[in-house]
Structures are given as structure tokens and as C-alpha cells.
Amino acid sequence: MTIEEIDEAFDRMFPREALPEVLGVAAELAALSNGDLVQTAYSSGFDTLLTRDRLFGESAARALKAFPKFAVVIVFAAATALDAISGGFRRSLA
């Protein structure tokens, strides 16, 4: 699947009415430390977190030890690819 196909699929499948809630949750999560983010995600029923933060494991080490079934996936992508994927969010805001 190409970046363009991912972007188009996002545009077709993302429920526009959910955008305010998604952005509100994202703002709240952005204020948390990485360790608090792990704890909050785990206690909310999530078992995996995707991030671009290559040092996430170091900064959240204590929390990750407390939740050994929680997984962190470091995503490596070119900035242009991430810009293309996030285009759906920008268009949804317009």
C-alpha cells in the first residue's frame, strides 16, 4: 500500500464526527510523561502504543516494567511519509 492509498483510505474511513474527541484526547495525552502515558493507556485497556520517540523505552522504563504485557512499537518513517498520512487530519480540520 502506498502513502497515497493510506491517505485516501484514511479520508474515506475516518468518522469526521469523532475528530473533536480524538483531538481532545490527543491534547490530554500530549501533556503526560511517557511513563504516565503507558499507565494511562494500560489502565484504559490498551496493550500497545505506537510512537516515533526512539527514546520512549528509556523514559518509560519503570512503567514498562510495571506492565510487562504492554508493548511499545517504535515507528521509523520518513518525515514526508508522516506528512502525507497526517494530511487526512489536516483536511478534516478544514
Side-chain angles (χ1 to χ4, degrees), residues 61-76:
R62 183 176 295 151
L64 291 170
K65 286 179 184 175
F67 305 104
K69 293 185 179 186
F70 192 83
V72 176
V73 177
I74 309 297
V75 178
F76 295 94

Side-chain angles (χ1 to χ4, degrees), residues 11-87:
D11 287 346
R12 285 191 315 271
M13 300 172 74
F14 185 81
R16 294 180 65 85
E17 61 276 4
L19 188 60
E21 184 176 347
V22 169
L23 293 175
V25 170
E28 289 175 23
L29 294 177
L32 298 176
S33 70
N34 287 346
D36 289 341
L37 181 58
V38 168
Q39 183 175 0
T40 300
Y42 188 82
S43 64
S44 297
F46 292 91
D47 61 4
T48 307
L49 180 129
L50 302 173
T51 182
R52 291 184 61 206
D53 184 352
R54 295 179 185 188
L55 301 176
F56 189 93
E58 291 178 30
S59 61
R62 183 176 295 151
L64 291 170
K65 286 179 184 175
F67 305 104
K69 293 185 179 186
F70 192 83
V72 176
V73 177
I74 309 297
V75 178
F76 295 94
T80 54
L82 291 174
D83 288 342
I85 292 169
S86 67

